[in-house]
Amino acid sequence: MKAVKLESEGGLEKKKIENVSLAKHQRSMVQPGRQEFEENRCSATWSTCQSGSSILEQGQSPVDDTGISSATTICPAPLCRQFWKAGNYNDAIGSKVNLQNGKNYLHVHPMFLHSNATSHKWAFGAIAELLDNAVDEIQNGATFVVVDKTSNPRDESPALLIQDDGGGMDPEAMRHCMSFGYSAKKSKSAIGQYGNGFKTSTMRLGGDVIVFSRHLHNRVCTQSIGLLSYTFLSRTGYDRIVVPMVDYEFNSETGKFEIYHLSAKEHFKSNLSMLLQWSPYSTEAELLQQFDDVGPNGTKVIIYNLWLSDDGNAELDFDTDTEDIRISGDIKKTVGNSAASKTLNEQHISNRLHYSLRVYLSILYLRIPESFRIILRGRLIEQHNLANDLKFQEFILYKPQCGGVKEGQVITTIGFLKEAPQVHVHGFNIYHKNRLILPFWPVVSYGDSRGRGVVGVLEANFIEPTHNKQEFERTSLFQKLEVRLKEMTWEYWDYHCGLIGYLVKKKHPILAPKHKPSLNMPDVKTKPVKLNQNSHVVLSAKGSDTEGLCTKRKGHNDLVEDESLKRQSCTGLNSVVAGHSLEAEPDITSNPEAAKLMEENKKIKEKCVEFESRKEELDLKVTKLKKEVAEAQSEYERLLGEVCLLDSIKDEKM
């Protein structure tokens, strides 16, 4: 979809009288307390991009208003509170798009807010989208993001708060945030990239969202307030998306925040009027009070009029656990041979992540800097490395190719769950740019015990996620990865199922390749490599689109030959980084494949150690720079205070 710009709209003089007359005629349909708004909204709701309400529109000229139809009032009945039924937008009285000067202008109708949000099937996926924006702000100095329950002061109904101390947004950035398809995130590590996540996620969680953002740059401090309200648009009959916004700028002479552009004072007043009419706050003082805990920069998002489930209860459950947010009625019933087994399966993280936000957020990111905290309802989220849940780990190197071109390399950590075989879970946790996309994705069927308990963790940056970041685009690269993960599961199971009590079966045909190893080495018989508890082997994948070393797998008997050779649960890929080595190396003089494997493994370990060392240096540098920035900011605020004090003394003397 082409980027949708925030266009200004003015010059509606020709239609003012007609619109006001229409508003008076339909006044009886409007709820009490909204009549004044209905009479004035057409004459004072449009403004420039700098300080007025924004109208989301594509291709509309800022000065051409002849093709813009007037907003009309429709049925004032309350908006449906069930999300999947809220798209029944009554636009029977809506205006038609006119043909002007031989051109059709594409208007973004309010119905699009709802239809666009249906890409999120899962409420937690929408919350994760908002957290991605905060995590992307780490590069701008963000140190925390808060997810909490708040309330709408108008009716004390629950609302969702998401707040961070990142760089914040200036007035222009705020309009980009409210626009469709625009994204200023150019960093390769940035999670967001489509410029659509804020709109889809907020509208999936509730009917309305208000955003407060403060931005400090080059000693210019601004604060902006924007309202994206499906309730406002549907109840007042707009045929396009109107976003009321007001902006302030700090005046060092007066020590107060004032209107961003005094020349747009009338537009400011009209937008402020809409904000006070439809937001949770009925006075300007209450609006500005929301910045009290924002600090010099940061963003606060409040989603209200939260959706209800089909049974009429709130979709987000704030009451069952005061330190968590849950999805009502989403506890899945699992299978098991006994009550204890069923309980163990139901309490496993693979099941709880579907209804507990605390559990889901604990695995949402593969890595989080120590300087950054995710705080849910006043309590810190403890990060959970899924690789730590695996026993008998192996690390498998996969080098995907497309059209003969290598797309990168991925190291998959694979093993049995610690609770296997009691827990009937298997699948792969696939991350993209540090963000979990597919949790416990079952690449093999649950119908057979073959593969049960085998779980893997990998970061696949060579494939692209869908817009809702809950799946991957089914490209040829993704399909090849899926095939390879099936092979990994069966291969690992067939060789190691005896470790968890299953009968070792005959090797799967896929494990008996007829082709030569990929290094063009002679196909020789090799002795299985015996591993002690601290040893790690990085294996390359056999089959299509892979490169590297090939070696025969360890058999069950070799792994449990005596107690000193039993494999213990490792701490994940970091164990490889730590540089553990083989205590009893195999005889590699007669095994060139094993020799190559050992050499490749050694090189990978050296690179990992080098990367870890470099990471520590960069972390120290970042900490030092943040400290310097904080000191500079403190000094700036001190000097600013002195200047304000001197100005006040000067004024008194005058």
Side-chain angles (χ1 to χ4, degrees):
M1 178 179 179
K2 293 175 63 180
V4 180
K5 299 183 292 184
L6 288 167
E7 300 287 358
S8 62
E9 185 161 352
L12 295 181
E13 299 296 332
K14 298 179 181 180
K15 300 195 176 182
K16 286 182 181 178
I17 299 176
E18 177 185 348
N19 292 336
V20 172
S21 298
L22 178 60
K24 290 180 178 178
H25 176 70
Q26 296 177 334
R27 188 178 302 168
S28 60
M29 299 177 65
V30 184
Q31 292 181 350
R34 305 195 190 276
Q35 295 180 6
E36 181 182 354
F37 169 78
E38 286 298 320
E39 293 179 2
N40 297 329
R41 66 185 175 89
C42 293
S43 61
T45 57
W46 317 100
S47 63
T48 63
C49 191
Q50 283 74 23
S51 62
S53 65
S54 301
I55 183 164
L56 294 178
E57 196 172 304
Q58 188 171 11
Q60 180 69 41
S61 169
V63 296
D64 178 13
D65 67 333
T66 57
I68 300 174
S69 55
S70 62
T72 59
T73 305
I74 60 171
C75 179
L79 184 70
C80 177
R81 296 299 303 280
Q82 284 82 25
F83 173 74
W84 297 107
K85 299 177 182 178
N88 299 325
Y89 191 106
N90 184 4
D91 61 348
I93 313 178
S95 303
K96 298 180 180 179
V97 177
N98 297 327
L99 179 65
Q100 297 293 334
N101 300 325
K103 297 180 180 179
N104 277 323
Y105 294 109
L106 178 62
H107 302 302
V108 182
H109 194 278
M111 288 179 62
F112 180 71
L113 286 177
H114 182 270
S115 59
N116 191 42
T118 57
S119 61
H120 283 293
K121 308 300 181 186
W122 187 38
F124 285 174
I127 295 177
E129 189 89 54
L130 296 172
L131 261 66
D132 291 343
N133 291 334
V135 171
D136 283 340
E137 284 296 302
I138 293 177
Q139 61 182 348
N140 294 325
T143 61
F144 71 84
V145 59
V146 170
V147 183
D148 208 343
K149 173 190 176 183
T150 186
S151 62
N152 183 341
R154 290 188 187 271
D155 57 10
E156 298 303 322
S157 62
L160 181 66
L161 166 71
I162 299 179
Q163 180 176 347
D164 66 70
D165 65 340
M169 294 179 284
D170 61 16
E172 182 181 2
M174 174 71 89
R175 281 150 182 78
H176 288 156
C177 174
M178 297 293 188
S179 188
F180 289 91
Y182 178 89
S183 177
K185 298 178 181 179
K186 305 301 180 183
S187 171
K188 292 183 178 180
S189 61
I191 304 171
Q193 56 181 315
Y194 298 114
N196 197 36
F198 175 81
K199 279 73 64 176
T200 59
S201 55
T202 53
M203 293 295 99
R204 171 60 184 86
L205 295 168
D208 311 281
V209 58
I210 187 168
V211 184
F212 304 86
S213 192
R214 181 177 287 167
H215 179 74
L216 177 63
H217 181 66
N218 291 336
R219 297 189 177 184
V220 176
C221 185
T222 61
Q223 58 188 32
S224 301
I225 306 173
L227 176 69
L228 184 61
S229 173
Y230 188 58
T231 304
F232 157 58
L233 296 169
S234 61
R235 286 184 178 175
T236 56
Y238 279 108
D239 62 353
R240 72 220 43 216
I241 300 174
V242 177
V243 183
M245 298 187 194
V246 293
D247 307 297
Y248 301 83
E249 182 177 1
F250 184 76
N251 188 330
S252 58
E253 295 181 357
T254 62
K256 297 180 180 179
F257 280 94
E258 300 176 352
I259 299 176
Y260 187 53
H261 284 296
L262 292 176
S263 60
K265 192 172 182 179
E266 291 302 318
H267 296 305
F268 177 92
K269 287 182 178 179
S270 65
N271 282 282
L272 180 61
S273 175
M274 282 191 286
L275 282 169
L276 299 182
Q277 187 77 34
W278 296 96
S279 80
Y281 310 101
S282 55
T283 67
E284 185 179 11
E286 290 180 0
L287 281 173
L288 296 178
Q289 189 179 0
Q290 298 305 310
F291 287 99
D292 288 352
D293 61 348
V294 172
N297 43 255
T299 300
K300 176 188 288 189
V301 177
I302 298 177
I303 306 169
Y304 58 105
N305 286 333
L306 300 175
W307 299 117
L308 306 178
S309 58
D310 291 338
D311 57 8
N313 296 322
E315 185 177 24
L316 295 180
D317 177 9
F318 297 98
D319 301 325
T320 300
D321 188 339
T322 58
E323 294 184 342
D324 198 3
I325 298 176
R326 299 197 172 194
I327 294 180
S328 301
D330 200 33
I331 300 178
K332 295 184 177 181
K333 299 298 181 181
T334 55
V335 296
N337 296 327
S338 63
S341 177
K342 289 181 179 179
T343 301
L344 187 62
N345 278 273
E346 289 178 0
Q347 291 302 313
H348 192 264
I349 190 171
S350 61
N351 186 46
R352 290 192 296 136
L353 70 87
H354 294 288
Y355 62 86
S356 169
L357 184 61
R358 179 167 295 278
V359 173
Y360 178 56
L361 296 186
S362 71
I363 62 174
L364 183 60
Y365 301 105
L366 197 57
R367 301 170 297 274
I368 288 290
E370 293 183 1
S371 59
F372 187 81
R373 298 167 297 158
I374 301 177
I375 304 171
L376 175 61
R377 305 201 70 182
R379 180 181 156 204
L380 183 69
I381 293 289
E382 297 179 3
Q383 295 303 307
H384 185 96
N385 186 349
L386 289 169
N388 293 343
D389 295 343
L390 307 182
K391 56 186 178 182
F392 312 124
Q393 290 182 358
E394 286 187 2
F395 308 99
I396 302 178
L397 177 64
Y398 173 57
K399 298 181 179 180
Q401 292 186 10
C402 183
V405 179
K406 186 173 74 173
E407 297 291 333
Q409 66 180 32
V410 180
I411 296 179
T412 300
T413 304
I414 190 171
F416 284 117
L417 285 173
K418 291 178 180 179
E419 301 88 350
Q422 286 79 17
V423 172
H424 306 148
V425 174
H426 62 264
F428 288 83
N429 298 276
I430 307 181
Y431 289 79
H432 176 81
K433 292 184 178 180
N434 192 42
R435 160 75 137 80
L436 180 62
I437 305 297
L438 289 176
F440 296 95
W441 180 44
V443 295
V444 298
S445 173
Y446 272 100
D448 188 6
S449 61
R450 188 174 181 228
R452 182 175 296 176
V454 178
V455 171
V457 182
L458 65 151
E459 184 177 20
N461 294 334
F462 60 93
I463 49 181
E464 291 295 328
T466 57
H467 281 215
N468 64 4
K469 297 185 180 68
Q470 297 298 308
E471 297 178 282
F472 285 101
E473 298 287 356
R474 293 200 62 84
T475 61
S476 60
L477 275 175
F478 177 77
Q479 293 173 6
K480 290 177 181 179
L481 175 64
E482 182 178 13
V483 170
R484 180 55 198 141
L485 294 180
K486 288 181 181 179
E487 294 176 356
M488 288 185 193
T489 303
W490 288 329
E491 184 179 356
Y492 183 91
W493 169 268
D494 288 344
Y495 275 92
H496 304 324
C497 63
L499 294 173
I500 59 172
Y502 284 92
L503 179 65
V504 179
K505 298 180 180 180
K506 185 179 179 181
K507 293 182 183 179
H508 192 270
I510 197 172
L511 301 178
K514 298 180 180 179
H515 61 275
K516 299 285 184 180
S518 58
L519 290 179
N520 296 322
M521 298 170 58
D523 197 3
V524 297
K525 294 182 178 180
T526 59
K527 180 180 178 181
V529 180
K530 296 180 180 180
L531 304 176
N532 60 46
Q533 62 187 29
N534 290 326
S535 59
H536 308 275
V537 174
V538 179
L539 299 173
S540 69
K542 287 188 177 184
S544 60
D545 300 298
T546 59
E547 301 177 346
L549 298 167
C550 297
T551 184
K552 290 196 174 183
R553 300 295 301 260
K554 286 81 51 200
H556 169 60
N557 293 334
D558 296 304
L559 287 171
V560 296
E561 198 169 59
D562 56 51
E563 289 298 323
S564 64
L565 297 180
K566 285 186 178 180
R567 307 225 318 205
Q568 296 182 354
S569 175
C570 307
T571 58
L573 189 55
N574 290 333
S575 300
V576 179
V577 176
H580 294 300
S581 60
L582 295 171
E583 293 181 5
E585 296 187 3
D587 180 11
I588 62 175
T589 57
S590 60
N591 190 345
E593 290 186 33
K596 289 288 185 180
L597 175 64
M598 294 292 293
E599 184 64 25
E600 181 75 9
N601 196 24
K602 181 179 179 181
K603 291 179 180 179
I604 292 176
K605 288 179 181 178
E606 291 174 352
K607 287 184 179 180
C608 290
V609 172
E610 180 183 346
F611 290 150
E612 280 292 308
S613 177
R614 179 61 177 162
K615 179 180 179 297
E616 291 177 0
E617 294 176 3
L618 292 175
D619 287 342
L620 289 174
K621 187 175 181 179
V622 168
T623 302
K624 182 179 178 182
L625 291 174
K626 284 185 177 180
K627 183 178 179 181
E628 293 177 358
V629 169
E631 292 174 352
Q633 179 65 32
S634 177
E635 179 66 13
Y636 166 70
E637 293 176 354
R638 185 184 68 80
L639 293 174
L640 182 61
E642 290 181 1
V643 170
C644 294
L645 181 61
L646 290 173
D647 288 343
S648 62
I649 294 174
K650 184 178 178 181
D651 293 339
E652 290 177 1
K653 290 182 177 180
M654 294 177 62

